[in-house]
């Protein structure tokens, strides 16, 4: 194995936990929430303040040049942080929002306005004149706010009802009444937000005359009582949480007339135990497209709905013996046809359909998956998409003709990881690139991929926050192992500064291992991960079967048997580590959060586990305690897969845990992986008289709410645990 490279000069400051979690962000000025203006003349984005990483403002950069400029200063609109409603807290948790200030924004389709919610109230920025108008000032939170397509209205949800107000001057108007917590209008239910990638419950028609909106009835969903423990005490939260095999919310879809408020119910079929997956309007507004998913997630129907009558017709069906993954790849076109993605070939690819659901052509093909349809240039008949076509560890942007399909053309170079926001016209895009040597850099590009200008160059050079530490930046190595079924498992390994291949080192294995995310990619290393290297650890990750952005065969290897092949693959990674001459086989640790916490527990309790210590963060312990859409997709229900659930459950395995090898970390207000997962493991370990360590965080949820101080404490706690258990020698 070749020695791993470093960058920069021969000496640099040693990175400390205190600096990693201080301001400014060590990764530099990052552009988040990047959007191209509707006319393609500017790029807007969120940027954290240099003196407070948790506060984000709205910035804009003109594509013709000039320095990016501050558009909306969040502190000027809301100097004091407001206590948000439970609904808004939950929404931010579902979306993984970690900041405050301007955390979201929306353009109208004409490019005249930008709607900005700040601390629960709404502000409208007018591009002509640069004026900001406060639209609401109420004790309640206005959530899921939108500017209507033509920019005449602003809409939002308040207290479980949908409101509309003129974008100019005029009073607000309730489009629905009678909404309340258990029977709400125009809101996405918990499952839609957490697992289905649908964060909204209403959709404007292109001509602004109608709004499609949901009615969500949660009254049949089980109440899960959980303690919300914080620093000043505890409250019992009666959360409507749909656990495996139990009732989901009943979701209806209606079409409301904006002028009169009159509603027409959409016919979603006789079965009510379904998922309302996606809703889209045809470009002419004459058809409403609805994606309806069966409860077992093995069938997805595309319905064409007459918005005037609510009558619906199935025009396309996808079926799988495993599960159907939801995407945002459905794209109605001006000529009435539409683009769609499917995994029927064994990989996700794009397809072109006529308005009646007749297949016109398969647009992409090959032994690689499309990751996401990013945009369309209808004038040229071109689809723009992101994919890891060369290898799962890289992502590039491509274009392909959907009129005369052929080999896709790469718009961005390889070697790293690209994400993009494509202009509505498809004639330009803003894109962010990163690799292990390059922190995220955002630029504006022509349709052919040539860069017009930087938005945030974020060049790693003198003056960059990371520059004092740059010579200690390590280049990761990548490779593959074969799984038991012959499929490739990608891994990455990073050695500490001052690495000597003649010595032996302890290893920290970072794991997630679940269908919701992969860890192995050619991206910028988070500075907090550098702390493991500074402490003298080697870092290693391997993406087991079941992780995303791979073939159907790779992803569905876990079907109905979670906790089996993933553990096998992680153990194969550990065996590979033990074969390396510079790895101390007796000092391998493992750490993960959420599904990674689950994987930590499962690997630590495998027979003859090779791991000497593990930190399980917010771990799932029993899949019957988790929600319906996620768990049933991969495991079915307890009634039809009792053996699979028994094999995947952690507590029955805890008798094999070596004493003093485990730390559990959990937020005490977690409403996703609820705290009873941790207490179930704690009780089993105590019953077995197995010593372990525990760190809990009052008031914190699964993702949102973690301040820099909390993150620093968690990092120090984790590092201290592994230093005590694995005894590394700090990097020189």
């Amino acid at each position: 194995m070749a020695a791993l490279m470093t960058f920069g000069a021969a000496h640099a400051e040693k990175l400390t936990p205190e600096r990693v979690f201080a301001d400014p962000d060590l990764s530099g000025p990052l552009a988040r929430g990047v959007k191209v203006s509707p006319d393609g003349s500017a790029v807007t984005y969120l940027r954290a303040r240099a003196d407070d990483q948790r506060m984000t403002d709205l910035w804009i950069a003109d594509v013709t040049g000039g320095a990016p400029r501050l558009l909306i200063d969040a502190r000027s609109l809301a100097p004091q942080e407001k206590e948000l409603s439970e609904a808004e807290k939950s929404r931010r948790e579902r979306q993984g929002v970690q900041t405050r200030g301007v955390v979201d924004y929306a353009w109208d389709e004409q490019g005249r306005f930008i709607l900005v919610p700040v601390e629960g109230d709404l502000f409208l920025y007018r591009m002509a004149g640069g004026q900001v108008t406060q639209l609401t000032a109420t004790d309640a939170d206005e959530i899921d706010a939108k500017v209507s397509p033509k920019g005449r209205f602003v809409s939002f949800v308040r207290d479980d009802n949908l409101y509309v107000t003129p974008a100019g001057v005029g009073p607000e108007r309730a489009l629905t009444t009678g909404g309340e917590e258990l029977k709400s209008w125009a809101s996405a239910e918990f499952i839609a937000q957490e697992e289905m990638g649908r964060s909204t419950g209403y959709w404007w028609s292109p001509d602004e005359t109608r709004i499609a909106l949901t009615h969500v009835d949660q009254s049949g969903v089980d109440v899960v009582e959980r303690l919300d423990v914080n620093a000043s005490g505890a409250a019992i939260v009666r959360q409507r949480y749909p656990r495996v095999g139990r009732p989901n919310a009943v979701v209806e879809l209606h079409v409301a007339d904006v002028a009169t408020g009159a509603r027409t119910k959409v016919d979603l079929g006789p079965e009510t135990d379904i998922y309302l997956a996606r809703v889209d309007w045809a470009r002419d507004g004459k058809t409403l497209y609805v994606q309806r998913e069966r409860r077992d997630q093995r069938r997805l129907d595309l319905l064409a709905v007459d918005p005037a009558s609510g009558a619906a017709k199935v025009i396309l069906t996808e079926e799988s013996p495993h599960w159907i993954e939801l995407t945002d790849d459905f794209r109605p076109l001006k000529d009435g046809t539409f683009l769609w993605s499917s995994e029927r070939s064994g990989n996700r690819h794009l397809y072109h359909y006529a308005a009646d659901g007749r297949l016109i052509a398969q647009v992409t093909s090959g032994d690689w998956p499309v990751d996401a349809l990013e945009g369309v240039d209808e004038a040229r008949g071109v689809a723009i998409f992101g994919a890891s076509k060369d290898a799962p560890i890289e992502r590039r942007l491509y274009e392909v003709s959907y009129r005369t399909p052929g080999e896709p053309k790469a718009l961005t170079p390889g070697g790293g990881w690209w994400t993009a926001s494509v202009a509505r016209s498809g004639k330009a895009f803003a894109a962010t690139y990163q690799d292990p040597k390059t922190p995220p850099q955002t630029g504006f590009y022509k349709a052919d991929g040539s860069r017009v200008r930087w938005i945030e160059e974020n060049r790693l050079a003198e003056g960059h926050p990371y520059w004092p530490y740059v010579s200690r930046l390590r280049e990761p190595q990548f490779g593959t192992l074969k799984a038991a079924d012959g499929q490739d498992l990608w891994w990455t390994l990073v050695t500490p500064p001052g690495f000597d291949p003649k010595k032996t080192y302890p290893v920290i294995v970072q794991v997630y291992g679940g269908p919701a995310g992969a860890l192995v990619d050619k991206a910028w290393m988070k500075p907090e991960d550098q702390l493991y290297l500074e402490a003298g650890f080697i870092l290693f990750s391997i993406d087991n079967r079941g992780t995303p952005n791979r073939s159907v065969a790779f992803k569905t290897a876990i079907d109905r048997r979670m906790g089996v092949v993933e553990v096998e693959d992680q153990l194969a990674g550990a065996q590979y580590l033990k074969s390396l001459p510079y790895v101390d086989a007796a000092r391998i640790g493992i750490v993960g959060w959420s599904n990674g916490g689950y994987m930590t527990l499962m690997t630590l309790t495998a027979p003859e586990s090779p791991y000497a210590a593990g930190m399980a963060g917010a771990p799932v312990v029993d899949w019957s305690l988790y929600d319906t859409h996620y768990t049933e997709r991969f495991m079915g229900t307890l009634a039809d897969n009792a053996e699979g659930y028994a094999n995947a459950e952690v507590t029955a395995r805890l008798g094999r845990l070596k004493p003093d090898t485990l730390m559990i970390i959990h937020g005490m207000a977690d409403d996703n992986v609820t705290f009873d997962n941790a207490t179930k493991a704690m009780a089993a370990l105590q019953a077995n008289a197995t010593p372990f360590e525990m760190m809990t965080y009052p008031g914190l949820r699964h993702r949102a709410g973690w301040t820099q101080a909390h993150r620093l404490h968690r990092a120090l706690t984790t590092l201290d645990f592994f230093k005590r258990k694995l005894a590394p020698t700090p990097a020189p």
Side-chain angles (χ1 to χ4, degrees):
M1 180 179 296
L4 304 184
M5 297 176 62
T6 61
F7 311 102
H11 175 74
E13 295 180 34
K14 193 169 185 177
L15 200 57
T16 65
E18 290 73 17
R19 176 58 193 95
V20 167
F21 298 102
D23 298 315
D25 190 337
L26 275 172
S27 293
L30 309 181
R32 305 164 182 167
V34 178
K35 299 178 184 179
V36 181
S37 65
D39 63 1
S41 66
V43 175
T44 46
Y45 58 99
L46 303 177
R47 179 177 177 179
R49 300 181 73 96
D51 61 348
D52 185 357
Q53 294 180 46
R54 294 188 67 245
M55 171 74 77
T56 44
D57 300 318
L58 183 63
W59 286 67
I60 190 168
D62 296 326
V63 301
T64 54
R69 63 188 188 278
L70 178 66
L71 200 64
I72 294 181
D73 182 335
R75 282 182 181 162
S76 68
L77 299 185
Q80 301 298 321
E81 186 171 5
K82 175 183 173 182
E83 180 66 24
L84 301 173
S85 67
E86 183 62 29
E88 180 63 3
K89 287 180 181 178
S90 178
R91 179 179 169 83
R92 292 190 180 195
E93 170 65 25
R94 305 282 79 78
Q95 295 178 334
V97 174
Q98 300 283 358
T99 59
R100 60 190 181 91
V102 181
V103 300
D104 193 15
Y105 67 97
W107 285 90
D108 74 304
E109 292 184 8
Q110 310 303 310
R112 294 183 296 163
F113 306 115
I114 301 176
L115 181 63
V116 181
V118 179
E119 299 299 313
D121 287 318
L122 301 180
F123 299 82
L124 193 69
Y125 182 91
R126 288 172 168 80
M127 295 300 294
Q131 299 160 327
V132 177
T133 303
Q134 183 166 357
L135 299 180
T136 64
T138 64
D139 292 334
D141 289 337
E142 287 77 34
I143 65 175
D144 195 14
K146 303 176 185 179
V147 183
S148 61
K150 295 182 180 298
R152 293 190 297 149
F153 302 99
V154 169
S155 54
F156 55 87
V157 177
R158 179 199 294 149
D159 293 333
D160 301 302
N161 284 296
L162 181 63
Y163 288 78
V164 174
T165 185
V169 178
E172 66 183 33
R173 177 167 54 94
L175 201 61
T176 67
T177 58
E180 43 99 5
E181 182 181 3
L182 294 184
K183 296 183 178 181
S184 61
W185 286 103
S187 294
E189 70 276 20
F190 172 91
I191 283 295
Q193 293 184 47
E194 180 64 39
E195 307 297 0
M196 295 167 57
R198 177 170 65 78
S199 59
T200 188
Y202 71 98
W203 302 263
W204 280 93
S205 66
D207 63 2
E208 300 182 336
T209 62
R210 295 182 171 111
I211 296 178
L213 70 163
T214 60
H215 182 265
V216 177
D217 184 351
Q218 296 188 82
S219 58
V221 177
D222 292 345
V223 174
V224 174
E225 291 189 343
R226 61 175 179 84
L227 275 177
D228 190 330
V229 182
N230 55 58
S232 59
I236 295 177
V237 177
R238 293 174 54 84
Q239 182 178 345
R240 297 282 173 165
Y241 190 104
R243 283 179 166 165
V244 170
R246 300 298 299 158
N248 276 319
V250 176
V251 182
E252 299 175 347
L253 186 65
H254 298 251
V255 178
D257 184 286
V258 174
T260 67
R263 292 191 297 269
T264 301
K265 185 178 178 182
V266 173
D267 180 8
L268 296 178
E271 179 58 65
T272 59
D273 193 11
I274 59 169
Y275 295 109
L276 179 69
R278 298 287 187 272
V279 178
D280 295 275
W281 286 92
R283 298 288 287 277
D284 61 7
K286 295 179 180 178
T287 302
L288 182 68
Y289 292 106
V290 178
Q291 295 181 44
R292 177 186 66 192
E293 188 176 42
R294 203 165 64 188
R295 171 75 182 250
D296 67 6
Q297 299 178 64
R298 292 177 169 178
R299 178 181 174 123
L300 178 70
D301 294 319
L302 178 64
L303 311 180
V305 177
D306 176 4
S309 67
K313 177 184 178 182
V314 176
I315 61 171
L316 178 61
T317 295
E318 292 285 345
E319 292 186 286
S320 168
H322 306 290
W323 61 79
I324 302 292
E325 289 191 355
L326 302 178
T327 75
D328 293 314
D329 295 338
F330 174 71
R331 195 65 55 95
L333 305 175
K334 290 179 182 177
D335 62 6
T337 66
F338 60 87
L339 296 176
W340 177 264
S341 69
S342 169
E343 292 188 311
R344 69 189 65 156
S345 69
N347 281 288
R348 179 165 301 284
H349 282 295
L350 300 177
Y351 296 80
H352 187 201
Y353 282 89
D356 60 1
R358 174 181 54 84
L359 177 63
I360 298 173
Q362 181 171 345
V363 178
T364 62
S365 61
D367 190 17
W368 51 272
V370 168
D371 183 41
L373 178 61
E374 305 280 10
V376 178
D377 182 343
E378 295 192 55
R380 294 190 295 136
V382 165
I384 302 157
F385 64 93
S388 300
K389 189 173 181 290
D390 301 323
I393 58 175
E394 298 183 13
R395 189 182 194 271
R396 302 169 72 180
L397 204 63
Y398 296 85
E399 71 171 27
V400 64
S401 171
Y402 56 81
R403 293 174 184 158
T404 56
E407 183 66 18
K409 172 189 174 184
L411 300 177
T412 57
W417 198 265
W418 288 87
T419 55
S421 173
V422 178
R424 287 179 57 83
S425 66
K427 299 187 183 304
F429 59 91
T432 299
Y433 173 79
Q434 58 182 305
D435 63 36
K437 297 182 290 185
T438 309
Q441 297 181 312
T442 302
F444 183 75
Y445 298 81
K446 294 180 181 178
D448 63 4
S450 58
R451 189 174 69 241
V452 176
R453 64 156 297 165
W454 287 114
I455 303 302
E456 286 287 5
E457 183 178 7
N458 197 19
R459 189 164 64 94
L460 189 53
E462 191 168 359
H464 190 281
Y466 203 92
W467 186 249
Y469 316 97
V470 71
S471 73
R472 301 181 73 82
L473 186 62
R474 304 291 293 169
E475 183 175 7
Q477 191 172 43
F478 298 90
T480 61
L481 300 176
K482 290 294 183 184
D485 62 3
Q487 298 191 84
D488 286 335
L489 306 174
W490 281 87
W491 57 260
T492 182
L493 183 147
V494 195
T495 57
F499 172 71
D500 183 348
K502 296 178 182 179
K503 297 180 180 180
T504 58
Y505 295 80
V507 180
I508 298 294
V509 177
Q510 293 178 306
V511 63
Y512 181 75
L519 295 184
V520 182
D521 55 30
K522 289 186 176 180
W524 174 251
M525 178 186 288
K526 293 184 293 185
E528 60 198 80
D529 290 342
Q530 177 77 19
L531 295 175
Y532 288 113
L533 304 179
E534 296 287 3
F537 295 104
I538 290 173
L539 272 182
F540 180 82
S541 287
I542 186 168
D543 282 340
N544 49 255
R545 284 170 290 174
T547 50
N549 200 27
R550 298 293 298 274
S551 69
V552 171
F554 190 90
K555 293 187 294 185
T556 61
I558 65 169
D559 192 9
R560 301 314 189 256
R561 52 177 188 154
M562 289 177 71
V564 178
V565 298
E566 312 102 291
V567 174
E568 290 176 5
D569 294 348
Q570 291 297 325
L571 295 177
Q575 289 303 313
Y576 172 71
L577 286 172
K578 291 167 69 174
S579 74
L580 300 176
Y582 47 80
V583 167
D584 186 337
R587 293 189 293 161
I588 300 176
I590 187 166
V591 60
W593 191 265
S594 195
N595 196 96
Y598 169 71
M599 289 295 296
T600 298
L601 293 173
M602 292 295 284
T603 52
L604 282 175
T605 56
E608 301 180 3
S609 173
Y611 305 97
M615 192 287 284
V620 175
V621 171
D622 181 348
W623 285 108
S624 70
L625 299 178
Y626 204 58
D627 67 51
T628 52
H629 193 272
Y630 182 92
T631 315
E632 292 175 11
R633 187 186 328 161
F634 313 116
M635 291 288 284
T637 64
L638 281 163
D640 62 29
N641 188 23
E643 182 180 0
Y645 276 89
N647 291 336
E649 203 263 349
V650 169
T651 57
R653 304 162 58 99
L654 289 176
R656 291 198 291 261
L657 182 72
K658 300 167 191 172
D660 294 312
T661 60
L662 171 66
M663 169 174 278
I664 299 174
I665 294 181
H666 214 127
M668 300 184 78
D670 197 326
D671 63 349
N672 179 11
V673 181
T674 49
F675 193 60
D676 50 354
N677 280 272
T679 57
K680 187 170 185 176
M682 293 160 58
L685 289 165
Q686 291 160 357
N688 294 336
T690 304
F692 67 99
E693 299 183 29
M694 185 87 193
M695 178 59 67
T696 57
Y697 286 89
L700 293 186
R701 304 193 182 206
H702 197 64
R703 290 179 287 250
W706 291 78
T707 65
Q708 294 299 88
H710 289 128
R711 294 176 62 208
L712 172 60
H713 186 273
R714 192 171 92 185
L716 290 170
T717 301
T718 303
L719 284 167
D720 174 71
F721 173 75
F722 282 122
K723 287 176 182 178
R724 287 187 284 109
K725 301 302 178 182
L726 303 180
T729 300

